[in-house]
Amino acid sequence: MCPTATPPPTAPLAGSVPGSYARLLFDHLAARGLDSAAVLGEPTPAPGSEPSYPAERWRSLLALAARQLGDPALGLHLGAAITPAHLGPLGYVLLASSTVPAALERYMRYQRLVHDVSPVRHYLAGEALVLEWSDDSRAIGLLANQCGLAALVQFARHITGTAATPLSVHFVEPAPADCTAYADFFGCPVHFGQPATCIRFPATLLGLPLRQSDAALAAMLERQVDAMLAALPQKDHLLNDARRLITRHLLQADPSLDSIAAELNLSGRTLRRRLGSIGWHYRALLDDTRRRIAEDYLRDPRLTLPEVALLLGYSEQSAFNRAFRRWTGISPLNWRKAGRG
């Protein structure tokens, strides 16, 4: 039985999905003998001329197709069909990498060419290799997250020639009525209503050989991939800069909006407006930054809970406990005991 959860609030979407990746949907419709113009209201783009799709449009196309096909697990079916071609030149760079760590490093470096919506980070937690997406994954929706996570697992299976079964898969969205398709594809426990979208692989994945390693080919194609990345529009770094300053000042209790704005050479009103334009209120950003840092600290067994509270700017552990429970639904002690992350 899958657990249920309260649906998270929706948020404005930014970013885009490359046309080669979005082609997964058009190829799926064609394989079923369906006309994309009839199902989606737009024709299949000609090979090699696929436009990028704004994230909002990608989410809408997936929702429309899922309704028309009566397939709530559409994203899983799309991700399961991914090939190197669906990632463009980057797909072949990953395929030709010399090792899994080399492929992973390239995936992290070029992730905007795969899915320019929610950045992903990776880290080792005990015997697990964890890939965790940012909170922006909450806005893109379950169908897009299905597709993204299934595509990554399928690609890992493709380049290693193994089952590459995760230890667990975590979605931020509430559980669907039927979880069978998830268990069938991932072959591991799948959890919903989680604090973050993530996949936990056995760390042994990092030692597997790759099927088509070709260092010369990877180096040659990487030049093209570098050019593609450089051609992408530059993102507004305001959010990261504000997070960095908040982190620096956490020991001073609550860093105020005005103090952070001043360090950014902005007025408080301008910072509030610019954050609002990308879907953030300052208080929500402060809480989200604290939560992320708290989780990082809690993964370190050397830090006691009172020390974690102090590092986050709380004068009392009870205040930290209340805040952490508000962010995640559980106490920091239970979060640590559960081995989150």
Side-chain angles (χ1 to χ4, degrees):
M1 167 97 50
C2 292
T4 58
T6 302
T10 57
L13 274 178
S16 61
V17 172
S20 57
Y21 180 83
R23 194 172 185 86
L24 280 164
L25 177 57
F26 294 95
D27 288 349
H28 180 75
L29 295 175
R32 298 189 58 168
L34 299 173
D35 179 8
S36 67
V39 176
L40 303 175
E42 57 184 77
T44 301
S49 65
E50 300 96 335
S52 63
Y53 289 79
E56 188 68 55
R57 180 60 179 154
W58 175 238
R59 181 170 66 179
S60 298
L61 288 175
L62 290 174
L64 179 59
R67 285 196 303 270
Q68 296 276 18
L69 300 175
D71 184 4
L74 174 65
L76 295 180
H77 300 141
L78 299 184
I82 196 166
T83 67
H86 288 114
L87 298 184
L90 175 59
Y92 296 99
V93 168
L94 299 178
L95 187 64
S97 294
S98 56
T99 63
V100 171
L104 180 60
E105 188 276 330
R106 283 172 167 140
Y107 176 79
M108 293 296 162
R109 191 191 327 158
Y110 300 120
Q111 60 184 278
R112 287 189 67 197
L113 296 174
V114 180
H115 199 280
D116 189 22
V117 180
S118 52
V120 62
R121 64 178 184 134
H122 72 289
Y123 54 89
L124 289 173
E127 298 300 314
L129 167 65
V130 184
L131 283 84
E132 181 180 304
W133 281 259
S134 75
D135 267 9
D136 296 330
S137 70
R138 295 180 181 276
I140 191 65
L142 180 58
L143 288 168
N145 284 331
Q146 286 175 2
C147 185
L149 270 62
L152 191 145
V153 170
Q154 182 61 30
F155 206 85
R157 291 169 177 169
H158 183 76
I159 65 175
T160 62
T162 70
T165 303
L167 296 172
S168 61
V169 173
H170 301 246
F171 288 93
V172 293
E173 294 85 4
D178 185 357
C179 298
T180 305
Y182 295 84
D184 289 346
F185 176 76
F186 291 113
C188 68
V190 179
H191 306 285
F192 294 88
Q194 298 298 296
T197 303
C198 74
I199 302 175
R200 296 168 58 91
F201 283 107
T204 53
L205 178 71
L206 294 170
L208 295 179
L210 299 188
R211 293 172 54 239
Q212 294 180 235
S213 174
D214 187 330
L217 177 62
M220 180 182 70
L221 291 173
E222 197 163 23
R223 290 193 288 272
Q224 182 178 354
V225 175
D226 281 330
M228 293 170 64
L229 182 63
L232 290 178
Q234 294 301 305
K235 287 194 165 186
D236 188 344
H237 296 294
L238 175 70
L239 195 63
N240 287 337
D241 289 343
R243 282 192 191 278
R244 175 176 49 79
L245 292 173
I246 288 170
T247 301
R248 182 192 302 170
H249 293 295
L250 278 181
L251 282 173
Q252 304 171 10
D254 278 6
S256 71
L257 179 143
D258 287 337
S259 66
I260 297 299
E263 292 206 44
L264 292 169
N265 295 316
L266 301 172
S267 68
R269 177 178 297 180
T270 299
L271 176 58
R272 183 180 294 109
R273 175 179 56 78
R274 288 183 58 184
L275 287 175
S277 72
I278 54 176
W280 285 93
H281 295 290
Y282 179 74
R283 173 55 59 177
L285 177 61
L286 177 60
D287 279 352
D288 184 68
T289 303
R290 266 203 168 115
R291 176 191 62 77
R292 294 181 185 207
I293 297 170
E295 291 178 354
D296 284 340
Y297 286 154
L298 289 171
R299 292 185 183 104
D300 187 341
R302 297 169 297 179
L303 293 174
T304 66
L305 293 183
E307 287 171 335
V308 172
L310 182 63
L311 288 168
L312 290 167
Y314 293 97
S315 57
E316 299 180 357
Q317 186 186 330
S318 58
F320 168 54
N321 289 348
R322 288 193 297 273
F324 194 85
R325 187 179 292 277
R326 174 165 54 84
W327 300 332
T328 67
I330 62 174
S331 71
L333 178 60
N334 288 338
W335 194 96
R336 173 175 270 177
K337 286 180 177 178
R340 301 292 183 107

